[in-house]
Amino acid sequence: MIDRRDSNWWKQAVFYQVYPRSFKDSNADGIGDLKGIQEKLDYFQELGVDALWISPFFKSPMKDFGYDISDYKDVDPIFGSLEDFQSLLTAAHERGLRIVVDLVVNHSSDEHPWFKAARSSRTDPRHDWYLWKPRTGRRPPNNWISLFEQRSAWYPNEATGEWYLATFTRNQPEFNWRNPELREAIYDATRFWLDLGADGFRMDVATAYFKDAEFRSNPFSFNLVPNLLQHHIYDRNRPEIFGVFKDFRAIADSYGDRMLIGETHGLDPVLAASCHGNNCDGLHMAFNFDFLYRKWSARLFRESAERWYELLPSSAWPNFTLSNHDQPRHYYRYRSGRHADARARVAATMLLCLRGTPFLYYGEEIGMNCEPLPKASLRDPLGVATWPLRIGRDPERTPMQWDDSLNAGFSPASPWLPVNADYRHKNVATQKTDPDSLWNWYADLLRLRKSQPALITGTLTWLDVPPEVMAWKRTERRQSEGKQDLLVYLNFSGKLKTISVPVGTVLQGTRVAAGERINAGERTLGPYEVLVVSQG
Ligand code: NOJ
Ligand code: CA
C-alpha cells in the first residue's frame, strides 16, 4: 500500500517511464495497452522501481501518438478504458507502486471539441482558448516554426479568416493560457486524475504554455538542430509561466502527496532549475535533460551534475535521466563495440548513485538498442517529415523485449513498430536467469539503493581521481547509526586507472564481489570498472 501521508515519496523513489504503446499488448492488436501494463506489475517489483510515469493513454487521434489529446478525461480505446486505468492504479497502489500520468496541456488535438468549437467562429465562447492572428495575406504573422513539420507554425483557418498556432504538428493547436476559462478547464482536468488517485503528473513542454503577448519574431540563432536557426525567446519560456506553476502546485498540494515534474523546453538546465520557483513554490521537479546531450566522458558528466546542483534553489530536489521516448537510447548513444554493456553498467551506476531522483526508460535495464529503422517502418511524424536527414523517435520506441518468443513476447500480433532484431538473445527472461546480466546489475543497484539511506538522502562530495574516472562520496548521518560514508568509483575508460581508497566493504562491483573487504591505499581500477564501497 502507498502511504498517502508521505508527501516526499518522490525524493526516495526510482521512476520508470512506460511508453504504453510499446510495453505489453494484452489484446493482440499489436499495440501495448493499460491491461498489458497491469499484467506486468510483478515485473516492476522484481526489478525494484517505485513509481511509473506512463506516457499519454488519453483519447487521441494519435497524430503524435497520444501527445495530441481530444478528451482530457477519458482513455483512448486503443489503450483500454477508464475502468482499466482505475484497476491498474488500484493494483499498483496495493503493491506500493505509484503512478504518474502525462499532462499534455500546451496544446490539444485539433479534434478536441474545444478546438472544433473555437475554429468555427470568432464569436464562439471557446475561440479565445486558442491562439489566433488575423489572416491578411499569405505571409504568416511571425517567424515561429513548427518543429515536427519544419515550416511556419501558423496554419490557416478558413472559417474565421485567421491563422492558428501549432509548434509541433499542425494537429496540435496551442492553448491561450492567458484566458482564465481555459486555465480553469485545464485545472479541472488535472483534478479529475488526482481525484481518481493518480500520484501526479509529468507536464509536457511545461515551459511552452505562454507565448510572447506581442507575438514578436524570434531572433536568429546559429544553433541548427533542433531550433531551425532561431533563438526561442518569444514562442516559449516566458516568465508568465511561473504564476501557472504556482496554481498547479497549489492544486497538487491540496491532495497532500502528489508530485509534479515538468518537461522543460530548452537545452540549458538553467531553465529547468527555474521551474522550482525561488521558494520552491513552483513544480516539485523539472527534468534535467543535460545527460541526454553529453558525450561519454567522466569529466563532462561530473561538470553537468555539479552545475545542476549549483543551479537548483537550495531546497529543490535534483533528478537525473539518461533516456526517454524523444531521444536515442543511451545504450545506443554510448555503445562502443564490445564495451556497450560495460558502459551501460557505468551509466546505470551513475544514474542510481548520484544525489537525486532517477528516471529510467523502459528497456534500458536490458540494454535495449536503438538502430535506425527503414523508411517504411517509420510512424513518428517527426521522423516521417525529416527522413533521411533525421530519423525521428521510432527507434527508441520499439516494443519491449520480454522473451525470445514471437515478437519478443510483446504481442502475438504484428507490432506497431518492428521488434529489435537482437531480441532472441537480448530479453528480460534470458537476462533474469543470468546473474551477470545488465538486468541483474540494475536489480542489484536498485536493491542497494533501498538498503543504503546514504544513496538516497546522503550528501555528495566529489573525489579527486585521475582523468576518465568519476568518483564521489555519499554521506549520511543518523543519530542511531552514526555516520555512513559510501564511495562510488566509475572508470569511464578502457584503460587501467589508479585510485586511492579507504578501508571498506564492497557493496557492488563489476570485478570485485559484494561483501569483499578492501584495504586502504592505492588500487587499480580495471577497464570500465565500477566499485561501490561502504567505508569503514
Ligand atoms: C514533448 C513530448 O515528450 C513529445 O513526445 C511530444 O511529441 C511533444 N512534447 C509534443 O507534445
Ligand atoms: Ca493492445
Side-chain angles (χ1 to χ4, degrees):
M1 262 309 162
I2 54 164
D3 180 357
R4 281 281 177 225
R5 291 159 310 175
D6 180 5
S7 58
N8 279 326
W9 60 271
W10 47 275
K11 294 184 179 171
Q12 328 246 321
V14 175
F15 281 78
Y16 184 101
Q17 182 191 353
V18 172
Y19 191 71
R21 291 182 75 85
S22 303
F23 198 63
K24 175 74 179 129
D25 174 20
S26 75
N27 62 347
D29 63 358
I31 302 177
D33 44 55
L34 293 178
K35 280 206 170 100
I37 300 173
Q38 189 163 346
E39 279 174 23
K40 293 293 181 188
L41 283 179
D42 283 348
Y43 178 72
F44 303 117
Q45 290 191 292
E46 283 162 13
L47 184 62
V49 295
D50 311 288
L52 306 182
W53 149 32
I54 309 181
S55 282
F57 48 80
F58 316 104
K59 208 153 196 299
S60 164
M62 303 290 164
K63 293 285 171 37
D64 189 19
F65 296 109
Y67 282 96
D68 49 324
I69 296 176
S70 55
D71 185 345
Y72 283 101
K73 295 186 180 176
D74 206 355
V75 168
D76 195 276
I78 286 183
F79 295 118
S81 63
L82 259 186
E83 289 69 43
D84 292 339
F85 176 71
Q86 195 72 77
S87 152
L88 168 63
L89 192 61
T90 307
H93 283 172
E94 275 164 11
R95 292 156 191 259
L97 189 71
R98 304 245 182 188
I99 296 188
V100 165
V101 301
D102 221 307
L103 187 69
V104 188
V105 293
N106 170 67
H107 46 265
S108 71
S109 155
D110 59 348
E111 290 184 33
H112 196 297
W114 296 345
F115 188 65
K116 285 188 180 166
R119 76 185 310 173
S120 68
S121 140
R122 290 195 191 197
T123 56
D124 187 275
R126 303 248 199 275
H127 187 68
D128 190 48
W129 288 26
Y130 292 84
L131 293 164
W132 306 97
K133 287 300 272 180
R135 193 163 162 236
T136 45
R138 291 170 67 90
R139 269 175 77 87
N142 63 23
N143 72 352
W144 298 354
I145 44 130
S146 154
L147 288 175
F148 293 177
E149 304 214 14
Q150 314 271 295
R151 44 149 287 164
S152 164
W154 294 97
Y155 296 89
N157 183 50
E158 298 304 334
T160 59
E162 290 171 299
W163 305 95
Y164 71 87
L165 181 74
T167 63
F168 294 96
T169 69
R170 69 188 62 204
N171 307 103
Q172 291 160 293
E174 312 219 354
F175 286 128
N176 175 15
W177 271 88
R178 295 175 201 278
N179 181 303
E181 285 165 21
L182 174 274
R183 287 208 296 269
E184 228 9 88
I186 301 288
Y187 296 157
D188 176 55
T190 306
R191 290 192 195 94
F192 175 83
W193 294 97
L194 297 175
D195 287 339
L196 284 181
D199 293 289
F201 295 100
R202 173 268 186 188
M203 298 165 74
D204 190 64
V205 287
T207 47
Y209 300 173
F210 282 89
K211 331 288 170 196
D212 179 43
E214 294 164 41
F215 293 89
R216 280 171 284 187
S217 279
N218 287 320
F220 176 80
S221 152
F222 282 109
N223 191 348
L224 268 176
V225 177
N227 294 305
L228 294 180
L229 299 172
Q230 291 188 11
H231 199 38
H232 290 274
I233 57 171
Y234 292 128
D235 57 347
R236 49 183 99 130
N237 311 338
R238 307 298 304 163
E240 293 92 327
I241 191 64
F242 296 106
V244 161
F245 286 169
K246 283 187 187 172
D247 289 351
F248 274 113
R249 178 67 182 251
I251 295 171
D253 283 356
S254 71
Y255 289 79
D257 65 338
R258 314 303 165 94
M259 187 276 308
L260 305 169
I261 178 160
E263 182 204 25
T264 58
H265 209 173
L267 297 180
D268 194 327
V270 167
L271 181 67
S274 72
C275 296
H276 300 77
N278 286 335
N279 305 316
C280 281
D281 50 359
L283 305 182
H284 297 87
M285 291 193 283
F287 270 115
N288 170 19
F289 289 144
D290 204 47
F291 278 7
L292 298 172
Y293 308 111
R294 293 284 163 172
K295 290 206 185 82
W296 183 256
S297 151
R299 180 178 61 81
L300 292 178
F301 280 117
R302 172 171 162 178
E303 274 174 18
S304 173
E306 247 179 326
R307 179 151 182 263
W308 180 229
Y309 293 142
E310 277 162 21
L311 286 172
L312 285 172
S314 58
S315 51
W317 186 252
N319 69 83
F320 291 97
T321 190
L322 284 163
S323 290
N324 65 31
H325 65 297
D326 289 330
Q327 300 291 337
R329 288 175 175 277
H330 71 268
Y331 185 88
Y332 181 76
R333 293 202 309 272
Y334 300 136
R335 73 196 183 286
S336 164
R338 61 196 169 85
H339 300 302
D341 271 36
R343 285 184 167 198
R345 282 182 176 76
V346 172
T349 314
M350 175 176 74
L351 186 64
L352 290 165
C353 295
L354 280 173
R355 182 168 187 272
T357 296
F359 281 76
L360 310 182
Y361 182 51
Y362 84 93
E364 76 171 69
E365 69 275 30
I366 53 169
M368 262 177 69
N369 244 315
C370 192
E371 298 287 348
L373 297 176
K375 188 173 180 223
S377 300
L378 298 184
R379 298 285 176 269
D380 172 25
L382 177 65
V384 171
T386 56
W387 188 91
L389 280 181
R390 293 169 66 193
I391 43 170
R393 302 165 296 176
D394 293 309
E396 55 265 27
R397 299 175 178 180
T398 60
M400 178 69 173
Q401 294 161 214
W402 292 107
D403 55 41
D404 63 2
S405 69
L406 177 71
N407 301 324
F410 163 71
S411 167
S414 170
W416 76 287
L417 280 178
V419 176
N420 285 333
D422 60 8
Y423 81 91
R424 287 202 186 277
H425 64 270
K426 185 175 278 192
N427 60 64
V428 171
T430 308
Q431 291 203 14
K432 264 164 72 172
T433 57
D434 171 5
D436 295 327
S437 69
L438 186 58
W439 192 91
N440 272 305
W441 182 261
Y442 269 87
D444 287 349
L445 270 176
L446 287 161
R447 261 193 300 275
L448 182 67
R449 246 185 97 88
K450 286 214 167 61
S451 68
Q452 302 292 330
L455 284 180
I456 300 175
T457 42
T459 56
L460 184 145
T461 321
W462 300 105
L463 301 176
D464 272 338
V465 278
E468 301 181 281
V469 178
M470 188 180 179
W472 61 92
K473 176 155 82 170
R474 303 289 309 270
T475 305
E476 176 80 8
R477 285 187 177 76
R478 299 225 154 170
Q479 270 184 346
S480 49
E481 296 143 51
K483 185 165 155 248
Q484 184 202 12
D485 280 321
L486 220 137
L487 304 126
V488 181
Y489 301 94
L490 305 176
N491 185 354
F492 273 67
S493 79
K495 296 169 230 151
L496 302 180
K497 296 282 171 177
T498 306
I499 53 167
S500 58
V501 294
V503 62
T505 306
V506 175
L507 295 174
Q508 189 160 339
T510 46
R511 285 211 313 177
V512 188
E516 223 170 273
R517 295 283 297 162
I518 56 166
N519 296 323
E522 294 214 323
R523 190 180 170 87
T524 305
L525 277 184
Y528 298 107
E529 182 170 350
V530 174
L531 191 65
V532 184
V533 178
S534 170
Q535 186 173 342

